[in-house]
């Protein structure tokens, strides 16, 4: 059997592997294909694609966007993106700017609580355009200001805690459209994590392509439930480990195994979507 892992992060967002290290891990785990889904960036895709090609495994470009629908946060995975698509790059640039501003705000709030975390420590540790809460948590641990990443989230960073600052959130409808105009497929990430099944019909109406049925944090029962939902709404089935390298303990790459026939369905679907888009634009003239 051939398997894929379609939810992976690198140092270009909050993972700890370089794209090269990630691909080496994929090879080690015998994966037939991977997708890179860093938060609000496609920067690592070029290197990962090159490494995958050299290693003889399949590569799918991707990103993970934070969106909202009916006041609910939803993460959307974009797959098969044209990583040079202008509108995509403009929008993710805006998300990155907000992420950077948000680090300033989070550190200021942590300082107000009497914890002397330095902004420079966080930015040096993050060393990317798309920094996030895990970088703040890791900087707190590194400086010996707290004991664990969990403590960082529990005391400061979780939603509702004093240093929690929201991210820029595009509407899910706009995010799906942004992904489509960049030639990609839009997939709802880890639905079981947020327990927000009520928004699925609305996303389907907005032309959602797929749903991440297999994920590290999904129980077998959850995966089965989302497979049924995928079937009901004719959605593609995806899956991935959401590996962040050593950012949150042990690397998870390869622990979630998506049977390769789902990758083949995704490929057929993106080809069909692009053909439809092309014939629609040629009809308009
Ligand atoms: P951000 O994109 O900056 O909001 O950060 C989101 C990242 O933080 C994701 O990778 C989450 O898995 C991680 N995260 C969220 N909550 C926690 C938590 N309680 N403990 C550890 N990591 C978390
Ligand atoms: Zn992440
Ligand atoms: Fe996510
Ligand atoms: Fe993720």
């Amino acid at each position: 059997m051939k398997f894929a892992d379609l939810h992976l992060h690198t140092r270009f967002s909050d993972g700890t592997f370089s794209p090269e290290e990630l691909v080496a891990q994929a090879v080690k785990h015998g994966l037939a294909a991977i997708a890179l889904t860093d938060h609000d960036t496609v920067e690592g895709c070029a290197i990962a694609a090159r490494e995958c090609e050299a290693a003889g495994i399949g590569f799918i470009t991707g990103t993970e966007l934070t969106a909202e629908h009916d006041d609910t946060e939803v993460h959307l995975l974009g797959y098969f993106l044209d990583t040079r698509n202008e509108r995509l790059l403009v929008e993710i640039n805006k998300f990155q700017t907000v992420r950077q501003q948000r680090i300033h705000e989070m550190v200021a709030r942590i300082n107000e609580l009497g914890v002397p975390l330095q902004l420079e420590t966080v930015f040096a540790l993050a060393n990317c355009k798309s920094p996030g809460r895990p970088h703040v948590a890791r900087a707190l641990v590194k400086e010996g200001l707290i004991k664990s990443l969990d403590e960082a989230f529990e005391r400061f960073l979780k939603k509702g805690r004093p240093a929690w600052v929201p991210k820029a959130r595009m509407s899910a409808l706009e995010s799906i459209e942004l992904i489509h105009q960049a030639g990609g497929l839009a997939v709802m990430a880890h639905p079981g994590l947020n327990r927000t099944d009520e928004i699925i019909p609305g996303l389907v109406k907005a032309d959602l392509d797929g749903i991440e049925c297999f994920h590290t944090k999904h129980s077998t029962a959850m995966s089965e439930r989302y497979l049924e939902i995928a079937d009901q709404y004719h959605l593609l089935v995806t899956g991935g480990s959401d590996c962040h390298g050593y950012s949150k303990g042990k690397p998870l790459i390869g622990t979630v195994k998506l049977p390769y026939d789902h990758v083949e369905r995704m490929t057929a679907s993106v080809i069909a979507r692009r053909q439809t888009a092309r014939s629609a634009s040629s009809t308009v003239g």
Side-chain angles (χ1 to χ4, degrees):
M1 275 282 273
K2 280 165 61 175
F3 296 101
D5 186 338
L6 303 185
H7 193 152
L8 300 163
H9 297 267
T10 68
R11 279 185 209 151
F12 284 100
S13 66
D14 54 5
T16 64
F17 287 137
S18 64
E20 290 93 337
E21 288 165 343
L22 186 75
V23 175
Q25 289 285 320
V27 171
K28 194 181 111 188
H29 288 277
L31 294 167
I34 61 165
L36 184 54
T37 55
D38 272 318
H39 299 280
D40 298 332
T41 182
V42 290
E43 248 189 302
C45 288
I47 306 171
R50 189 190 69 204
E51 295 291 308
C52 280
E53 192 178 352
I57 68 176
F59 179 72
I60 299 172
T61 57
T63 188
E64 181 173 10
L65 302 177
T66 306
E68 75 181 330
H69 189 74
D70 295 340
D71 289 326
T72 301
E73 179 168 317
V74 56
H75 291 186
L76 290 167
L77 298 161
Y79 288 117
F80 297 99
L81 298 165
D82 169 5
T83 58
R84 284 175 299 194
N85 179 267
E86 209 174 306
R87 236 186 86 204
L88 179 71
L89 294 176
V90 167
E91 294 303 329
I92 59 184
N93 209 302
K94 290 187 207 161
F95 296 143
Q96 291 170 2
T97 303
V98 175
R99 277 180 173 277
Q100 290 157 22
Q101 290 164 347
R102 176 177 175 250
I103 299 289
H104 286 257
E105 177 74 24
M106 289 193 282
V107 171
R109 292 198 194 177
I110 288 169
N111 292 161
E112 276 165 30
L113 295 165
V115 179
L117 177 67
Q118 306 239 338
L119 196 56
E120 294 70 36
T121 312
V122 182
F123 279 117
L125 188 145
N127 192 29
C128 71
K129 294 178 191 154
S130 215
R133 287 180 290 165
H135 296 120
V136 178
R138 279 160 56 197
L140 282 162
V141 174
K142 185 169 176 249
E143 293 298 295
L145 297 166
I146 53 155
K147 291 204 182 62
S148 68
L149 299 173
D150 273 348
E151 188 186 339
F153 277 90
E154 287 306 318
R155 270 179 69 188
F156 306 120
L157 299 171
K158 243 169 67 164
K159 186 169 182 183
R161 295 292 189 261
W164 179 76
V165 181
K167 274 181 286 193
R169 300 200 300 197
M170 205 179 224
S171 83
L173 276 51
E174 276 178 283
S175 295
I176 293 171
E177 201 272 325
L178 179 66
I179 291 166
H180 286 161
Q181 69 79 43
L185 296 175
V187 171
M188 184 187 192
H190 45 62
L193 221 72
N194 319 68
R195 310 288 193 105
T196 49
D197 296 359
E198 67 281 359
I199 69 169
I200 295 172
L203 298 182
V204 172
K205 237 191 196 159
D207 216 7
L208 183 77
D209 299 280
I211 186 163
E212 190 175 48
C213 296
F214 304 104
H215 184 272
T216 305
K217 297 237 169 105
H218 284 183
S219 64
T220 307
M222 265 183 205
S223 296
E224 277 165 10
R225 169 172 168 69
Y226 293 114
L227 286 168
E228 274 172 32
I229 288 176
D231 196 45
Q232 180 187 347
Y233 291 104
H234 307 290
L235 293 169
L236 293 163
V237 169
T238 78
S241 63
D242 211 349
C243 175
H244 287 73
Y246 292 98
S247 177
K248 306 181 201 168
K250 280 210 289 193
L252 296 171
I253 181 169
T255 56
V256 171
K257 289 178 149 69
L258 180 74
Y260 195 78
D261 52 339
H262 292 298
V263 176
E264 284 165 349
R265 283 186 205 117
M266 289 169 76
T267 310
S269 176
V270 79
I271 290 169
R273 182 172 272 292
R274 286 177 188 172
Q275 270 166 357
T276 312
R278 218 173 293 132
S279 54
S281 67
S282 65
T283 328
V284 176

